[in-house]
Amino acid sequence: MGDHKEQQPARVGAAVRRRRRALELTLAVVAERTGLSVPFLSQVENDKARPSHTSLEKLADALRTTAVELLAAADPAASVDVVRAETAAAEADFAPRTRSLVRGHHQLHASEYTGDHDAGREFQHRNDELMYVADGAVEIEAEGRAYRLGRGDTLYLTGGVRHRWRATVPDTRIIVVAVAEHIEAVKDRTR
């Protein structure tokens, strides 16, 4: 088994549907604006038909966006990507570092932080985030409270929560998984 990345063409249908729903448009309205049939548009949204470049441009115009934006927001049909651990030589260096665990443009971002970092740096992400302590211990300040987490502990933060963290023991390693910023996961969060 070798390392490889397999990816099929992007599924633009979900991006079209999300955009149409965000604009609160029916398929009939989009069909009228584009000159495309409702059954064809339904097939596009369900990824049973792939629009031509011309049809995609018409859809983009009707949805007040561009074909490039629709393609950028498209879901990959199937994706398998292996990100291998760093080599032993790199692990011998105990300097703080960050390593992305996911490559490309996806709905989730995951990063591994080893060692400490600028503990004064405050973070605030648009969407939800999960912090998992793989090794060591951290102190996380969020919503005016301090949380001490050890190996195996997790902390879940909803979108918009300001927070900062610091390692409290050497060689701490945390994994952060977050909903990507380009995903509209939170519309209006009331407190």
Side-chain angles (χ1 to χ4, degrees):
M1 284 190 217
D3 290 346
H4 62 282
K5 181 173 184 171
E6 300 219 5
Q7 194 161 0
Q8 296 174 350
R11 297 182 310 175
V12 73
V16 170
R17 181 176 33 255
R18 282 191 300 268
R19 180 70 181 168
R20 178 180 63 79
R21 287 180 176 169
L23 295 172
E24 298 178 354
L25 300 174
T26 65
L27 281 174
V29 169
V30 175
E32 185 179 309
R33 289 182 180 181
T34 61
L36 302 170
S37 71
V38 170
F40 175 71
L41 292 173
S42 177
Q43 287 180 337
V44 168
E45 285 192 0
N46 290 300
D47 290 310
K48 293 184 176 167
R50 291 183 61 189
S52 66
H53 178 72
T54 303
S55 294
L56 189 60
E57 290 288 340
K58 289 178 181 180
L59 275 167
D61 289 344
L63 298 173
R64 292 186 238 140
T65 188
T66 65
V68 171
E69 289 294 323
L70 286 175
L71 289 170
D75 295 336
S79 179
V80 176
D81 189 14
V82 176
V83 178
R84 296 285 180 194
E86 296 174 339
T87 63
E91 291 174 8
D93 175 16
F94 296 112
R97 64 183 180 273
T98 303
R99 180 172 76 101
S100 180
L101 301 176
V102 178
R103 292 183 280 220
H105 189 73
H106 297 287
Q107 294 183 15
L108 289 178
H109 286 283
S111 298
E112 175 185 62
Y113 296 89
T114 304
D116 210 348
H117 73 106
D118 178 7
R121 182 173 177 203
E122 186 174 70
F123 299 92
Q124 182 181 26
H125 303 286
R126 174 179 166 182
N127 293 320
D128 296 0
E129 169 179 345
L130 175 89
M131 300 176 82
Y132 170 75
V133 181
D135 286 309
V138 297
E139 185 173 273
I140 301 170
E141 181 185 319
E143 292 292 304
R145 292 188 58 198
Y147 301 88
R148 288 190 170 86
L149 280 69
R151 184 173 185 225
D153 292 341
T154 62
L155 180 78
Y156 186 87
L157 302 160
T158 57
V161 172
R162 291 183 181 278
H163 60 283
R164 68 181 86 229
W165 67 273
R166 68 180 184 89
T168 57
V169 299
D171 302 326
T172 291
R173 189 167 55 99
I174 68 168
I175 309 297
V176 177
V177 179
V179 176
E181 293 291 319
H182 72 278
I183 301 296
E184 186 66 40
V186 178
K187 287 203 182 250
D188 181 26
R189 190 177 304 276
T190 56
R191 294 184 182 217

